[in-house]
Amino acid sequence: MKRSDVDRSLLSPMMAQYMEIKDEYENELIFYRLGDFYELFFEDALVASRELELTLTGRVAGLGEKVPMCGVPHHAVKSYIEKLVNKGYRVAIVEQLEDPRLTKGMVKRGVVDVFSKGTIADSDLLNAKESSCIAGILIFQDVIILSILDISTGHLLSLTIPNNLEKLCNELVNYNVKEVVIKSDTNASFIEPLKNNFGIEITYNDIMLEGKYEKLIEGVKDARVKTGIMHLFYYLDHRQLKDLSYIDKIEFINRTNYLEMDIHTIRNLELVETIRLKERTYSLLWLLDKCKTAMGSRKLKSWILSPLKSKNDIEKRYDKIAKLNNEFILKDELKEALFEVYDIERLAGKTVNGGLNPRDLLQLKKSLSVLPKIVEICAKLGFNYELKTHTEIYDLLEASINEEAPITTKEGGIIKPGYSVELDEIKSIRSGGKDFIANFEAEIKKQTGIKNLKVGYNKVFGYYIEVSKGQKDQVKDEYKWERRQTLANCERYISPELKEKESLILNAEEKINNLEYDLFIEIKNEIKKHILDIRATADILSELDCILSLAICSEEYNLVRPKLNEEGIVNVKDGRHPVVEVVNKKEYVPNDCILEKGIDTLLITGPNMSGKSTYMRQLAIMSIMAQMGSFVPAKEANLPIFDKIFTRIGASDDLVSGESTFMVEMKEARNAICNASSKSLILFDELGRGTATYDGISLAQGILEYISTNIHATTLFSTHYHELTFLENKYKNIKNVHVSAIEEGDSITFLHKVKDGAIDKSYGIHVARLAGMPDELLNRASEILSSYEAKNSKDSREKEVQLAMDFSPKNDEDENLKEKIKKLDILNMSPLDALNFLYEVKNNLKK
């Protein structure tokens, strides 16, 4: 049965109410609260039963047949929401909006929250170490306005970027955007890659929010930025019902202040996840993340993806790392203190956007308790942070929240004795009532002589007296007990005295739970008044955590403080790839990387598996670490401040868009060539190998010459095309280096050491032998190789002779011939004269 087929005039009041709510939320799955369950109906039920593997049943709704229905328990709803949202569905939660006891007729219900990929604020549903953002996109003729919000923390960013799909994708991936809000007339060429290539949820909205949050945007000068924020806020405020009052500022991101890296570079260098498994483990982030807090881990990731370009700001981070390493006792104390801090950044978000429970308040209190210690440590270290201790909030939580408080908010046990006089009085009644029950049981046992008599309670008929079958004859009429239930082995009764006390006890229990919930909401609202200060504190603590993490890494991995220069000089002694060094169980071979003034390109040759790619990557990794404010893996390092890093490493097809390895290779190379400057770093690994040999050589040489003559970017260019090594002689800014290996018969030993000069052999068959190829195959390959080498050698000699003869005169006879040709009067020559002259030249050449 479909919702559209229903005669609504026949529906029960409850189902009619559901239909009205569903009309407003057509694109969401409605979780409709009924008692202890959230239920879904009609098409929503069909979808949920399939996706969540739930039993599909039916509910009577006033129609001739039951409507499709499935449900989930209210206490486990979070896990079901998470599954649906991860599959790309939106979920709307419908709750009762009034107390049923105070209402006649149908209880009013309404949507209280909406969940989608980019708007989950509950930290229980989020990866603690990953941000999760939603972005509003407005596309203008020359620029794109990006408004990015992490709703779980309240961080609101605004970026103005060129109208370029690739740059848009870079930003969305960098900020881990899960959902974008765009106008319905946006070109499909922008939408499809976001959805198909990056799994970003697309939401359409054409309306701007008006008359709300005006204070937030009143100082914004660019009208387009204002429009962009209000475009995003309309969707969040009206459709998602989010409270955005805790957002107090807009952070304007100027990309010129940060080292620029595209998504290919981030992927190729494995900055935040590995290429093969798409996992955090064995990435640079995994290596450097020694943070004690989840918010510190999130900030560290942002530092890796957005390294600085300001030498002054970078040096400030170096200074703090050096200070912590010198003050190792204070460093250990800071480490212990931060270990006690929970994710107060997201706790602040939960305070505003719902989902806050009493345990969260205990976590907040625990975090605030160590702030005085952290303030003291910072003062001793000389760190100039304006860090508040939030004593008022701590005192409030210390006085109010029970240390054994439950996760639920409506079942009592939240508030400490002594916080509320009214609550304590009601609890006294309840306590006295429970004593009465115990005393009552003992007294009637004595009066009746029924020794196994018990007083119990259930939700059906309250407190009762239970007597076994064997002693039921001892129950006399004079007791005025009323039989309520007969079971197989006992009888249950009630008495007037018991019912009278029951009323007082049960009402006290209900009053306690309601009052505790009201007090909890009061405490929560009091904390909301300080939410902006709490967020500022969280920001400082996360930065401290990042600095501490980098300081720990500098000692653990033997990192050194780099020097920074403005001259484009690269001087690295015994540089290492930090992740490879840690993961590889063999002893790591460090290498120098030196590009003196006037040298901006290293042309790297060497066998496969010798370490060319690792050597190239380690310079990029080192530069990123240096510019994010970290010490670097080397004996000593003097590095330039790069403005951009471009990489083309490894072979990959773009299967989604149907592009071959070679096309992807050329596009990535084009991106570097068109956007790099003299202050950029370019890594090209085996460029041109995706096509025919001579095409590859020609393109590789052309690209290398173009970079060397037109761009002058710092470039590491590895190749198997040994024909290119002559470029060192042609261009003064190109230098040949090679990764050495020792050949012993059919075996080869890789030394992984980079030395000056070129190498003229690839050792491909040796590598195949190491891979375990059959000997018969390898022997045949060696024969074929020898044949090709002999042929190529002969062809090369013939070409050299031809070139020398035609274009490079070496003796007097050639010069004389050249002069004779110049003096020829071709216009006045007869055909016979021309043939005679050609015959003379031919005879001379034979001599």
Side-chain angles (χ1 to χ4, degrees):
M1 181 188 297
K2 293 183 179 180
R3 195 164 57 91
S4 57
D5 299 334
V6 170
D7 182 352
R8 297 197 179 195
S9 64
L10 302 177
L11 288 172
S12 64
M14 185 279 292
M15 190 56 67
Q17 184 187 60
Y18 167 83
M19 297 289 266
E20 289 177 7
I21 296 171
K22 181 62 181 175
D23 288 342
E24 295 182 21
Y25 289 87
E26 290 276 357
N27 299 320
E28 287 78 17
L29 299 176
I30 301 291
F31 275 54
Y32 194 81
R33 180 71 179 266
L34 290 170
D36 289 339
F37 280 81
Y38 285 101
E39 297 185 359
L40 299 96
F41 306 106
F42 296 104
E43 290 89 344
D44 287 4
L46 297 176
V47 171
S49 64
R50 182 182 68 249
E51 299 289 359
L52 300 176
E53 299 180 0
L54 301 173
T55 301
L56 186 67
T57 61
R59 172 178 276 276
V60 175
L63 304 172
E65 60 179 301
K66 292 182 179 181
V67 303
M69 182 202 81
C70 67
V72 299
H74 76 94
H75 63 271
V77 72
K78 285 184 179 181
S79 62
Y80 292 107
I81 292 173
E82 182 182 19
K83 286 180 183 177
L84 288 171
V85 168
N86 287 338
K87 289 173 180 276
Y89 295 98
R90 293 183 177 86
V91 174
I93 304 296
V94 174
E95 298 278 7
Q96 292 179 349
L97 301 180
E98 53 190 7
D99 192 333
R101 295 167 303 174
L102 307 175
T103 306
K104 291 182 180 180
M106 273 297 298
V107 177
K108 185 178 179 182
R109 290 182 176 86
V111 174
V112 296
D113 208 349
V114 180
F115 297 97
S116 59
K117 270 190 178 181
T119 60
I120 296 177
D122 192 335
S123 55
D124 295 337
L125 302 178
L126 294 169
N127 184 330
K129 295 189 175 185
E130 293 281 350
S131 60
S132 180
C133 298
I134 184 170
I137 300 175
L138 285 186
I139 301 175
F140 295 90
Q141 186 173 357
D142 56 336
V143 297
I144 296 174
I145 302 295
L146 261 180
S147 307
I148 300 176
L149 175 65
D150 184 341
I151 204 162
S152 69
T153 62
H155 285 157
L156 176 62
L157 311 175
S158 178
L159 297 87
T160 302
I161 62 174
N163 189 340
N164 179 283
L165 177 60
E166 193 165 346
K167 290 188 180 296
L168 173 64
C169 293
N170 287 346
E171 298 298 347
L172 296 179
V173 171
N174 280 2
Y175 288 105
N176 200 29
V177 171
K178 301 292 188 182
E179 180 180 358
V180 295
V181 182
I182 59 176
K183 297 184 75 173
S184 57
D185 59 358
T186 303
N187 193 310
S189 64
F190 270 78
I191 298 168
E192 289 172 5
L194 302 183
K195 191 173 183 179
N196 297 334
N197 294 7
F198 302 104
I200 295 173
E201 187 175 331
I202 308 295
T203 299
Y204 296 97
N205 170 51
D206 296 327
I207 307 173
M208 312 300 158
L209 188 65
E210 294 181 2
K212 209 170 181 183
Y213 310 114
E214 296 288 345
K215 189 175 180 181
L216 179 67
I217 61 169
E218 64 183 2
V220 179
K221 296 178 181 179
D222 192 332
R224 297 174 301 181
V225 172
K226 285 185 179 181
T227 304
I229 291 170
M230 289 299 102
H231 171 247
L232 174 62
F233 274 30
Y234 178 86
Y235 170 68
L236 294 172
D237 185 272
H238 274 59
R239 295 299 303 168
Q240 295 270 327
L241 307 178
K242 304 301 182 188
D243 180 1
L244 307 173
S245 59
Y246 67 117
I247 302 171
D248 63 323
K249 65 179 181 180
I250 307 164
E251 185 180 349
F252 296 95
I253 303 297
N254 185 349
R255 272 286 156 228
T256 60
N257 295 332
Y258 301 95
L259 171 63
E260 187 177 322
M261 299 178 287
D262 60 22
I263 51 179
H264 308 297
T265 298
I266 292 167
R267 181 196 64 202
N268 290 335
L269 297 178
E270 299 185 309
L271 297 185
V272 295
E273 65 178 19
T274 56
I275 295 174
R276 179 174 294 180
L277 300 177
K278 305 290 183 186
E279 291 180 352
R280 194 174 189 268
T281 305
Y282 303 138
S283 67
L284 180 65
L285 177 59
W286 164 81
L287 184 84
L288 297 181
D289 188 3
K290 307 292 181 183
C291 293
K292 303 302 172 187
T293 69
M295 53 190 179
S297 294
R298 293 194 297 271
K299 185 178 283 286
L300 185 69
K301 181 180 178 181
S302 73
W303 282 13
I304 290 174
L305 295 176
S306 298
L308 303 170
K309 282 166 60 179
S310 166
K311 185 177 179 180
N312 186 45
D313 291 341
I314 296 170
E315 293 284 0
K316 284 179 181 177
R317 291 182 184 175
Y318 291 166
D319 291 341
K320 288 173 182 172
I321 292 171
K323 186 70 174 178
L324 281 171
N325 286 340
N326 290 333
E327 300 286 349
F328 56 90
I329 295 176
L330 290 175
K331 182 168 81 169
D332 287 342
E333 290 179 2
L334 181 60
K335 192 190 306 180
E336 292 172 7
L338 285 172
F339 188 74
E340 301 295 324
V341 176
Y342 288 86
D343 194 349
I344 60 177
E345 190 174 44
R346 281 189 171 161
L347 288 175
K350 286 179 77 172
T351 303
V352 178
N353 279 311
L356 190 78
N357 62 57
R359 297 271 179 89
D360 293 328
L361 292 183
L362 290 174
Q363 290 183 359
L364 179 60
K365 185 185 82 169
K366 179 72 171 175
S367 302
L368 298 182
S369 69
V370 297
L371 287 182
K373 179 67 174 176
I374 294 175
V375 169
E376 181 186 340
I377 294 169
C378 286
K380 290 179 180 177
L381 290 168
F383 292 176
N384 188 25
Y385 291 117
E386 295 181 8
L387 190 59
K388 294 184 177 181
T389 56
H390 303 284
T391 307
E392 291 179 21
I393 302 175
Y394 175 79
D395 291 344
L396 170 64
L397 296 174
E398 174 64 20
S400 61
I401 304 298
N402 184 0
E403 298 296 339
E404 304 297 326
I407 294 178
T408 57
T409 58
K410 294 188 177 181
E411 296 179 11
I414 300 171
I415 306 298
K416 278 183 177 180
Y419 179 73
S420 167
V421 174
E422 182 184 0
L423 180 63
D424 289 346
E425 288 177 353
I426 302 173
K427 283 184 176 180
S428 176
I429 293 173
R430 182 185 65 178
S431 176
K434 288 183 176 179
D435 290 341
F436 165 80
I437 296 300
N439 294 334
F440 179 79
E441 181 180 297
E443 187 178 335
I444 60 174
K445 278 183 179 179
K446 185 177 179 182
Q447 288 176 356
T448 62
I450 305 174
K451 294 182 180 180
N452 65 355
L453 173 151
K454 292 189 295 186
V455 176
Y457 173 83
N458 67 29
K459 290 184 178 181
V460 178
F461 45 80
Y463 285 99
Y464 56 81
I465 302 165
E466 184 175 289
V467 179
S468 68
K469 288 280 189 184
Q471 294 186 313
K472 72 175 183 176
D473 292 339
Q474 298 181 38
V475 178
K476 300 177 181 178
D477 292 340
E478 62 192 64
Y479 299 158
K480 297 182 181 179
W481 292 1
E482 182 182 337
R483 182 186 284 110
R484 277 299 176 91
Q485 190 177 25
T486 299
L487 300 178
N489 59 349
C490 66
E491 299 280 351
R492 288 177 177 175
Y493 305 86
I494 61 171
S495 73
E497 189 179 4
L498 188 59
K499 295 308 290 182
E500 180 184 345
K501 206 65 180 178
E502 177 191 286
S503 178
L504 284 173
I505 295 168
L506 295 183
N507 285 340
E509 192 74 40
E510 187 176 348
K511 283 181 179 178
I512 288 169
N513 291 346
N514 290 338
L515 183 54
E516 288 209 21
Y517 177 75
D518 291 341
L519 291 170
F520 171 77
I521 296 301
E522 283 181 17
I523 295 164
K524 174 182 170 182
N525 290 335
E526 184 62 31
I527 293 171
K528 280 176 71 173
K529 296 176 184 176
H530 302 270
I531 210 71
L532 300 181
D533 287 339
I534 294 174
R535 285 182 56 214
T537 297
D539 191 51
I540 293 170
L541 291 177
S542 62
E543 182 174 326
L544 260 176
D545 203 7
C546 287
I547 295 293
L548 176 64
S549 179
L550 295 178
I552 293 170
C553 289
S554 69
E555 288 197 330
E556 186 174 332
Y557 305 134
N558 192 26
L559 310 181
V560 299
R561 178 171 182 160
K563 294 178 182 178
L564 303 174
N565 67 77
E566 306 284 349
E567 293 77 38
I569 295 171
V570 175
N571 193 336
V572 175
K573 299 291 180 66
D574 288 345
R576 313 183 305 277
H577 190 299
V579 179
V580 175
E581 182 183 27
V582 169
V583 174
N584 196 345
K585 296 178 181 178
K586 299 177 183 177
E587 185 178 352
Y588 190 88
V589 179
N591 275 301
D592 297 348
C593 185
I594 301 172
L595 287 91
E596 298 168 344
K597 201 164 186 178
I599 301 290
D600 51 47
T601 300
L602 290 184
L603 183 56
I604 309 165
T605 49
N608 291 313
M609 287 182 59
S610 61
K612 297 192 300 297
S613 297
T614 300
Y615 177 72
M616 296 170 71
R617 282 188 175 100
Q618 77 185 32
L619 176 62
I621 293 287
M622 209 176 299
S623 300
I624 290 165
M625 290 175 67
Q627 289 184 227
M628 67 178 279
S630 170
F631 289 7
V632 299
K635 189 175 182 180
E636 61 179 85
N638 187 358
L639 295 165
I641 295 177
F642 293 112
D643 63 351
K644 301 170 187 174
I645 296 180
F646 300 95
T647 66
R648 172 56 213 170
I649 299 174
S652 60
D653 292 345
D654 188 346
L655 298 178
V656 174
S657 58
E659 293 178 345
S660 67
T661 296
F662 184 63
M663 177 57 81
V664 172
E665 189 174 271
M666 289 298 101
K667 281 192 170 184
E668 292 182 14
R670 184 261 308 157
N671 182 44
I673 291 166
C674 294
N675 294 294
S677 73
S678 60
K679 293 185 177 180
S680 301
L681 173 62
I682 298 176
L683 307 182
F684 281 163
D685 188 20
E686 308 291 353
L687 198 64
R689 64 180 167 185
T691 187
T693 303
Y694 291 119
D695 280 352
I697 294 173
S698 305
L699 281 166
Q701 181 173 335
I703 290 169
L704 193 52
E705 288 182 345
Y706 185 88
I707 293 171
S708 297
T709 55
N710 296 333
I711 302 175
H712 295 286
T714 300
T715 305
L716 270 61
F717 195 108
S718 76
T719 186
H720 280 297
Y721 299 141
H722 305 116
E723 295 86 347
L724 299 180
T725 56
F726 83 95
L727 292 172
E728 181 185 54
N729 301 322
K730 186 175 179 181
Y731 298 98
K732 294 181 179 179
N733 58 337
I734 296 179
K735 178 183 177 182
N736 283 328
V737 296
H738 69 277
V739 188
S740 55
I742 297 175
E743 184 181 5
E744 297 174 341
D746 289 336
S747 67
I748 185 171
T749 303
F750 300 115
L751 300 180
H752 303 294
K753 198 69 179 174
V754 176
K755 299 180 180 180
D756 289 347
I759 197 170
D760 61 358
K761 196 169 184 179
S762 293
Y763 301 101
I765 293 176
H766 294 80
V767 174
R769 192 178 302 280
L770 290 175
M773 286 285 189
D775 289 339
E776 183 180 352
L777 182 155
L778 294 171
N779 293 335
R780 175 58 181 151
S782 297
E783 291 174 10
I784 296 169
L785 177 63
S786 299
S787 174
Y788 276 126
E789 285 177 341
K791 183 177 184 299
N792 287 340
S793 176
K794 180 182 177 183
D795 290 346
S796 297
R797 285 196 299 272
E798 289 176 356
K799 287 173 185 175
E800 286 171 9
V801 170
Q802 186 68 31
L803 286 171
M805 182 176 61
D806 288 345
F807 303 108
S808 303
K810 301 295 181 183
N811 52 49
D812 292 341
E813 289 182 6
D814 292 337
E815 287 295 337
N816 292 335
L817 177 59
K818 188 175 178 182
E819 288 300 317
K820 285 181 180 181
I821 292 172
K822 282 182 180 180
K823 292 176 181 179
L824 284 178
D825 185 1
I826 296 174
L827 294 177
N828 294 316
M829 286 181 73
S830 68
L832 183 59
D833 291 337
L835 285 172
N836 287 333
F837 180 77
L838 185 60
Y839 180 77
E840 181 185 345
V841 170
K842 185 177 179 181
N843 285 333
N844 287 336
L845 288 176
K846 284 182 178 179
K847 295 176 183 178

